[in-house]
């Protein structure tokens, strides 16, 4: 009986010959998925020529809504063309779901100032506080 216990103790003290890499593969897969999601989470759609400013703040946050105004004065919400009334309706429904969501306004440098003021006035009436204006960096030289 004693020899059986000795054999069992010797097996417990033996060195491990292999490494379990399953947890490592799991972690790498999660990192890969997070990289893919963050790399594709940029606001895309409407091409606008941004005005230049000396300092800009990054407004990249999850669930950020983007309002774009192209050089023809057409308004877009997340790359979809909308009228001012449709914009107001969609922002009201978003505010009902999420009270405090960030918004960015991207206006083309050639757009009429009145159109930007109309959009900003609409945002003020809806009492949306987290609003940022997107600008480009000025050319040095």
């Amino acid at each position: 009986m004693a020899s059986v216990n000795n054999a069992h103790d010797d097996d417990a003290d033996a060195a491990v010959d292999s490494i379990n890499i399953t947890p490592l593969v799991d972690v790498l897969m999660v990192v890969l998925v997070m990289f893919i999601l963050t790399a594709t989470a940029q606001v895309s759609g409407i091409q606008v020529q941004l005005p230049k400013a000396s300092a800009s703040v990054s407004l990249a946050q999850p669930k950020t809504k983007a309002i774009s105004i192209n050089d023809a004065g057409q308004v877009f919400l997340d790359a979809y063309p909308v009228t001012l009334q449709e914009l107001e309706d969609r922002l009201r429904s978003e505010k009902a779901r999420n009270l405090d969501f960030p918004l960015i306004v991207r206006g083309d440098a050639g757009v009429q100032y009145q159109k930007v003021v109309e959009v900003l006035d609409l945002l003020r009436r809806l009492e949306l506080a987290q609003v940022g204006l997107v600008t480009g960096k000025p050319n040095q030289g």
Side-chain angles (χ1 to χ4, degrees):
M1 196 57 115
S3 63
V4 172
N5 284 340
N6 273 346
H8 180 65
D9 289 341
D10 290 340
D11 289 342
D13 293 335
V16 177
D17 292 3
S18 64
I19 297 174
N20 186 3
I21 64 167
T22 304
L24 178 64
V25 171
D26 290 344
V27 169
L28 289 176
M29 290 302 287
V30 169
V31 170
L32 178 65
V33 168
M34 293 303 293
F35 175 74
I36 291 170
L37 290 176
T38 56
T40 60
Q42 298 174 356
V43 176
S44 62
I46 309 308
Q47 183 70 23
V48 293
Q49 181 132 14
L50 296 173
K52 308 296 183 205
S54 60
S56 62
V57 178
S58 174
L59 295 172
Q61 293 183 8
K63 300 190 181 193
T64 299
K65 293 290 184 187
I67 299 171
S68 301
I69 307 167
N70 66 6
D71 58 349
Q74 189 174 11
V75 179
F76 298 84
L77 178 61
D78 291 337
Y80 298 104
V82 292
T83 65
L84 287 178
Q85 184 59 45
E86 291 172 336
L87 178 65
E88 182 175 358
D89 295 341
R90 290 183 185 182
L91 291 178
R92 279 188 196 279
S93 65
E94 181 66 30
K95 187 176 179 182
R97 284 188 299 247
N98 182 5
L99 285 177
D100 199 23
F101 64 95
L103 256 165
I104 58 173
V105 178
R106 302 172 64 229
D108 193 276
V111 74
Q112 290 181 358
Y113 190 62
Q114 179 61 36
K115 192 56 119 174
V116 175
V117 169
E118 288 172 1
V119 170
L120 292 175
D121 187 46
L122 173 89
L123 300 178
R124 183 191 52 78
R125 279 184 300 168
L126 293 175
E127 297 176 355
L128 296 170
Q130 290 192 36
V131 178
L133 297 174
V134 179
T135 60
K137 293 186 179 183
N139 296 333
Q140 300 294 334

